[in-house]
């Protein structure tokens, strides 16, 4: 599918975007995302901070609620990347604001990281976060039947595994079929053998089981047939989009799953998620595609 062209910014916002476009190289270099968070407006959402979904220090989340949201709004649980060894929810304020500004209740969840834990503990944490979101959806103004798991990079892996491998949600008395769908941005879905030392540690390489890979479950036809959104940078040099995003789309489509797929130009692995932030939205219509997918009602 060819990505739609980004909507031109109004003249007033164009100058601001051009001034802040210098953030793109900083994102490319993985500089702190708090640089981008400084550009996030405060009048589009409210935030509930430090909500606990478990007893551990990193089993916490922030919830971004739209201003004037409908009582049955969609809810997205978002997991960030960082090779399962780094990351914190405060850095992803811009993600919470972006989706909340489009009427989506957004949960940005921390989870325990390597080397403190190894696979599959971070998946078990993510499953607990999803259970919390389902149980609290109505209190937060969202519909439990419109619950999505989403993520970028390693976080997209987490979302895919919860949706495709029923083991993890079953541990919290849920089933993948309770999800409305899942969305992965630049996710690694097939990365054996493992070359990165950080990822080797997180996955106990070389004793990493084949069923640790999302593509294993997609190809096997296990799990539920959700609606799926897969986005990636066409020139991603960190997570190969052909081996991962396109192969995942093909495997899911072969088993009858409805998949929306877009590969974007002008963004990298990192600026793909950065394009959700106000000053970088002109790089690619990531927010439009992401929010439109989450806003679709179940049929």
């Amino acid at each position: 599918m060819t990505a739609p062209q980004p909507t031109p910014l109004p003249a007033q916002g164009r100058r601001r975007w051009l001034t802040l476009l210098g953030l793109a190289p900083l994102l490319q270099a993985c500089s702190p995302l708090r640089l981008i968070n400084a550009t996030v407006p405060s009048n589009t959402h409210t935030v509930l901070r430090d909500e606990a979904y478990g007893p551990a220090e990193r089993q916490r989340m922030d919830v971004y609620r739209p201003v004037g949201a409908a009582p049955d709004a969609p809810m997205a649980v978002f997991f960030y990347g960082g090779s399962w060894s780094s990351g914190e929810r405060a850095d992803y304020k811009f993600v919470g604001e972006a989706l909340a500004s489009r009427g989506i209740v957004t949960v940005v969840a921390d989870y325990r990281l390597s080397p403190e834990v190894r696979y599959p503990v971070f998946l078990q944490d993510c499953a607990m976060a999803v259970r919390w979101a389902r149980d609290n959806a109505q209190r937060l103004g969202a519909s439990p039947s419109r619950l999505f798991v989403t993520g970028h990079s390693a976080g997209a892996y987490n979302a895919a595994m919860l949706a495709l491998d029923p083991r993890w949600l079953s541990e919290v008395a849920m089933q993948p079929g309770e999800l409305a769908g899942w969305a992965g941005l630049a996710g690694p879905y097939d990365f054996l053998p493992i070359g990165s030392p950080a990822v080797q540690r997180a996955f106990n390489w070389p004793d990493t089981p084949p069923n640790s890979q999302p593509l294993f479950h997609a190809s096997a036809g296990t799990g539920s047939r959700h609606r799926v959104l897969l986005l990636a940078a066409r020139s991603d040099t960190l997570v190969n989009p052909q081996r991962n995003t396109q192969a995942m789309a093909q495997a899911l489509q072969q088993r009858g799953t409805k998949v929306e797929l877009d590969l974007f130009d002008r963004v990298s692995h990192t600026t793909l998620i950065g394009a959700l932030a106000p000053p970088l939205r002109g790089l690619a219509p990531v927010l439009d595609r992401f929010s439109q997918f989450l806003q679709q009602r179940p049929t």
Side-chain angles (χ1 to χ4, degrees):
M1 179 184 296
T2 301
Q5 293 299 309
T7 302
L9 290 173
Q12 183 178 7
R14 193 176 299 120
R15 289 189 297 272
R16 181 169 181 253
W17 180 81
L18 289 172
T19 300
L20 294 171
L21 188 57
L23 289 175
L26 294 176
L27 275 177
Q28 183 73 23
C30 298
S31 293
L33 294 174
R34 289 188 178 90
L35 291 169
I36 274 186
N37 286 331
T39 73
V40 170
S42 60
N43 62 350
T44 57
H45 65 284
T46 59
V47 188
L48 298 176
R49 301 193 187 279
D50 300 320
E51 295 286 322
Y53 66 85
E57 182 179 352
R58 283 191 60 86
Q59 291 174 331
R60 298 291 185 272
M61 58 179 67
D62 294 338
V63 183
Y64 295 79
R65 303 173 65 189
V67 173
D72 63 343
M75 174 180 271
V77 182
F78 176 83
F79 303 114
Y80 49 74
S83 299
W84 302 276
S85 60
S86 66
E88 56 181 291
R89 66 187 187 277
D91 285 343
Y92 292 86
K93 173 184 176 181
F94 71 95
V95 174
E97 185 280 331
L99 296 179
S101 73
R102 300 294 179 93
I104 299 154
V105 177
T106 306
V107 175
V108 181
D110 280 336
Y111 51 95
R112 286 176 290 175
L113 301 170
S114 173
E116 177 192 354
V117 301
R118 309 289 177 93
Y119 168 87
V121 174
F122 38 80
L123 293 178
Q124 294 168 326
D125 280 3
C126 291
M128 291 172 63
V130 172
R131 172 62 190 263
W132 185 96
R134 189 201 68 177
D135 291 349
N136 289 273
Q138 291 183 319
R139 174 176 72 87
L140 297 169
S143 170
S145 66
R146 304 182 71 189
L147 175 62
F148 294 84
V149 289
T150 71
H152 170 251
S153 194
Y157 165 93
N158 296 348
M161 286 295 284
L162 295 189
L164 296 172
D165 183 352
R167 289 179 294 172
W168 314 118
L169 287 181
S170 68
E171 290 187 1
V172 294
M174 285 184 67
Q175 297 297 324
E178 297 179 58
L179 301 173
W182 66 277
L185 283 67
Y189 308 123
D190 176 33
F191 51 88
L192 299 183
I194 301 174
S196 162
V199 179
Q200 287 179 343
R201 183 168 55 246
F203 282 84
N204 297 298
W205 179 257
D207 299 320
T208 310
N211 66 357
S212 66
Q213 304 298 289
L215 193 60
F216 174 95
H217 299 281
S219 300
T222 56
S224 297
R225 296 183 178 180
H226 309 92
R227 290 189 297 110
V228 178
L229 174 69
L230 298 174
L231 304 178
R234 192 182 306 277
S235 59
D236 192 329
T237 57
L238 185 61
V239 177
N240 183 285
Q242 288 74 39
R243 178 179 177 181
N244 292 276
T245 297
Q246 289 184 305
M248 173 62 76
Q250 183 178 11
L252 291 172
Q253 289 167 341
Q254 287 176 347
R255 63 183 249 194
T257 300
K258 182 179 178 181
V259 180
E260 298 179 35
L261 168 68
D262 272 315
L263 299 180
F264 296 111
D265 299 312
R266 298 202 297 152
V267 289
S268 67
H269 181 81
T270 308
T271 56
L272 178 76
I273 188 69
L276 293 178
L280 300 180
R281 288 176 188 169
L283 291 177
V286 179
L287 178 56
D288 289 342
R289 294 291 293 111
F290 201 3
S291 60
Q292 287 166 6
F293 173 79
L294 296 172
Q295 288 165 341
Q296 295 175 38
R297 290 186 174 272
T299 56

